[in-house]
């Protein structure tokens, strides 16, 4: 009975000492579920949420890079349109322009057209930023025809929260999505050469004569960018959800008008350039609002990660000073048990016979 009691006490003291030494080595008081079942469950829940928040931040960083590059590209496109408007204003009257200056300006506008196409075909890594879901296909050809789609790539930024990381080129460059019905209107009658411009003029003249004969109370069309241009906007600004303009067709129309010394056509282009600039500014505003949104979500997630680490630390981390004190106490108890046991069990003849 004495031996069993001594053995039990020594085993208990050594078990307590081993557990305290394990806590000192890991600096954690919950190393297995049996140490604290409720605390272990809460720690696992906090860790799961922390991993999820870390992945959300990775998603946001990827989307933020996409959005910031899109905003930079739209800023360059806005500068091109502003420069095109300046040229159009300068060449819209005979006071400071003539046929030679308009032909020279047309060359610069042609370069602006190609720069706009290059902006529409920009890539971030291996993905085109203005192609919608078709990130591996070049969105625009050299003539400005769109081959992407209207897809918005949604990125999850939080639980039940998503944000689009791209803006389709059909919305920025073609104005689709700014109208009330969202229906694309293909441009089969947009003049791309001087011959086509002459043909459009002829059709406009026939339309005027027909209207005069029928005595219709309608507004006369002026220039090739009017009734025969399917990218024409309404009288309201794009902010009012009216139809958008096709930026490529607007620049091409300005170029053709300058080459053909069409002063009225250059003047008519000014309204379309104003609306094109508004269209790009509105797209930039949409991208900027998304960037602000993901920045706010990032701050929230980072704070949540810190709060989760604090909560997990309170549940599982050991108090070093308390732990050292308990180790010293357990060591003293073990030594006292060994000293007492040595006095309770004296050596006998059987110990020597072993």
């Amino acid at each position: 009975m004495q031996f069993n009691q001594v053995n039990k006490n020594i085993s208990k003291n050594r078990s307590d000492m081993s557990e305290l030494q394990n806590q000192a080595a890991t600096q954690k008081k919950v190393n297995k579920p049996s140490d604290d079942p409720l605390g272990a469950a809460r720690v696992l829940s906090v860790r799961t949420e922390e991993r999820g928040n870390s992945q959300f931040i990775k998603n946001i960083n990827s989307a933020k890079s996409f959005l910031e590059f899109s905003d930079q590209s739209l800023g360059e496109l806005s500068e091109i349109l502003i420069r095109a408007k300046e040229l159009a204003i300068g060449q819209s009257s005979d006071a400071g322009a003539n046929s030679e200056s308009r032909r020279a300006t047309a060359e610069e506008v042609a370069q602006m057209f190609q720069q706009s196409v290059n902006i529409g075909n920009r890539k971030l890594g291996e993905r085109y930023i203005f192609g919608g879901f078709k990130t591996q296909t070049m969105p625009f050809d050299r003539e400005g025809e769109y081959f992407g789609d209207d897809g918005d790539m949604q990125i999850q930024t939080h639980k039940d929260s998503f944000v689009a990381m791209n803006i389709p080129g059909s919305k920025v460059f073609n104005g689709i999505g700014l109208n009330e019905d969202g229906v694309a209107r293909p441009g089969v009658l947009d003049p791309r050469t001087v011959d086509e411009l002459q043909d459009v003029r002829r059709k406009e003249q026939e339309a005027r004569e027909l209207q005069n004969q029928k005595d219709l109370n309608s507004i006369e069309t002026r220039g090739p960018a009017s009734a025969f241009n399917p990218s024409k906007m309404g009288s309201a600004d794009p902010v009012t959800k009216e139809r958008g303009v096709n930026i490529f067709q607007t620049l091409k129309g300005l170029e053709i008008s300058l080459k053909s010394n069409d002063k009225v056509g250059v003047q008519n282009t000014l309204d379309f350039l104003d609306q094109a600039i508004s269209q790009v500014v509105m797209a930039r505003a949409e991208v900027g609002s998304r960037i602000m949104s993901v920045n706010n979500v990032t701050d929230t997630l980072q704070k949540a990660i810190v709060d989760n680490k604090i909560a997990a630390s309170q549940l599982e981390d050991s108090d070093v000073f308390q732990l050292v004190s308990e180790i010293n106490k357990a060591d003293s108890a073990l030594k006292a048990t060994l000293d007492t046991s040595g006095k309770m069990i004296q050596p006998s003849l059987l110990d020597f016979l072993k």
Side-chain angles (χ1 to χ4, degrees):
M1 289 176 61
Q2 290 178 349
F3 176 78
N4 290 335
Q5 185 66 30
V6 168
N7 190 30
K8 179 179 178 181
N9 292 333
I10 293 176
S11 298
K12 180 179 181 302
N13 290 334
R14 286 182 173 174
S15 177
D16 294 340
M17 189 67 179
S18 176
E19 183 177 352
L20 292 173
Q21 288 176 345
N22 187 33
Q23 292 183 16
T26 60
Q27 297 293 309
K28 296 183 182 299
K29 60 184 178 182
V30 180
N31 292 293
K32 53 184 182 296
S34 59
D35 293 338
D36 184 0
L38 181 59
R42 294 180 62 186
V43 167
L44 292 176
S45 176
V46 168
R47 285 181 178 175
T48 301
E49 184 176 355
E50 180 183 346
R51 293 289 181 87
N53 290 338
S54 298
Q55 184 60 49
F56 287 145
I57 290 179
K58 292 180 181 179
N59 293 351
I60 288 175
N61 290 335
S62 176
K64 188 176 179 181
S65 299
F66 221 84
L67 290 170
E68 288 178 346
F69 190 60
S70 299
D71 181 68
Q72 176 185 348
S73 301
L74 292 176
E76 296 179 16
L77 180 62
S78 178
E79 293 294 331
I80 291 174
L81 293 175
I82 292 173
R83 175 58 180 167
K85 181 182 176 181
E86 293 176 356
L87 295 176
I89 292 174
Q91 303 297 322
S92 61
S93 65
D94 293 331
N98 51 41
S99 60
E100 295 295 332
S101 64
R102 290 190 179 104
R103 281 196 295 269
T105 305
E107 296 299 326
E108 183 176 353
V109 174
Q111 293 298 323
M112 292 179 180
F113 178 86
Q114 292 302 323
Q115 291 176 11
S116 301
V117 173
N118 292 336
I119 290 175
N121 289 329
R122 280 189 175 172
K123 300 172 66 177
L124 180 62
E126 297 298 325
R127 296 184 292 180
Y128 291 96
I129 63 175
F130 293 116
F133 289 139
K134 298 181 179 180
T135 58
Q136 303 299 319
T137 303
M138 184 177 294
F140 299 95
D141 61 9
R142 292 185 177 181
E143 299 300 325
E145 294 294 333
Y146 187 61
F147 294 96
D149 55 28
D150 300 332
D152 291 328
M153 294 185 292
Q154 301 287 334
I155 295 296
Q156 187 172 7
T157 58
H158 203 261
K159 295 179 180 178
D160 301 326
S161 178
F162 296 84
V163 65
M165 63 180 289
N166 71 313
I167 182 166
S170 58
K171 184 174 184 179
V172 179
F173 296 90
N174 297 345
I176 299 174
L178 300 178
N179 51 342
E180 293 181 351
D181 53 9
V183 177
R185 295 166 176 81
V188 295
L189 297 176
D190 298 311
R192 296 184 179 275
T193 64
V194 176
D195 294 335
E196 291 181 5
L197 175 62
Q198 299 297 334
D199 185 58
V200 169
R201 283 179 175 177
R202 180 180 55 80
K203 292 180 180 179
E204 286 183 346
Q205 183 63 29
E206 292 175 357
R208 291 192 189 99
E209 294 176 357
L210 181 61
Q211 288 179 355
N212 291 333
Q213 292 174 1
K214 294 183 179 180
D215 194 22
L216 297 177
N217 295 324
S218 60
I219 301 176
E220 283 193 354
T221 58
R222 297 180 302 166
S226 185
F228 292 99
N229 193 336
S231 65
K232 176 186 174 184
M233 294 185 65
S235 59
D237 193 77
V239 178
T240 62
K241 304 297 183 181
E242 295 293 337
R243 287 193 296 165
V245 298
N246 189 311
I247 292 176
F248 297 126
Q249 293 175 1
T250 301
L251 292 175
K252 181 62 69 173
L254 176 59
E255 177 189 352
I256 294 173
S257 298
L258 290 170
K259 285 183 178 180
S260 61
N261 196 26
D262 184 4
K263 180 177 63 176
V264 176
V266 174
Q267 293 172 355
N268 292 337
T269 309
L270 292 173
D271 293 335
F272 295 99
L273 287 173
D274 284 334
Q275 294 176 348
I277 293 172
S278 299
Q279 183 171 298
V280 176
V281 169
M282 189 170 64
R284 290 193 69 185
E286 183 175 348
V287 172
S289 65
R290 294 177 187 177
I291 294 176
M292 182 179 296
S293 175
V294 297
N295 285 336
N296 293 335
V297 174
T298 301
D299 295 338
T300 302
L301 291 175
Q302 289 177 345
K303 185 179 183 303
I305 289 176
V306 174
D307 293 340
N308 287 335
K309 288 184 179 295
I310 293 174
S313 176
Q314 293 174 348
L315 290 171
E316 65 176 351
D317 289 350
S318 299
D319 187 345
V320 177
F321 297 101
Q322 182 180 359
L323 181 60
V324 171
S325 176
E326 291 179 354
I327 288 176
N328 292 331
K329 187 188 299 183
D331 183 62
S332 299
L334 179 59
K335 290 181 180 179
T337 301
L338 292 175
D339 293 339
T340 305
S341 301
K343 295 178 180 179
M344 291 179 62
I345 302 178
Q346 297 295 331
S348 63
L349 179 61
L350 295 176
D351 295 325
F352 294 101
L353 292 178
K354 292 179 182 178

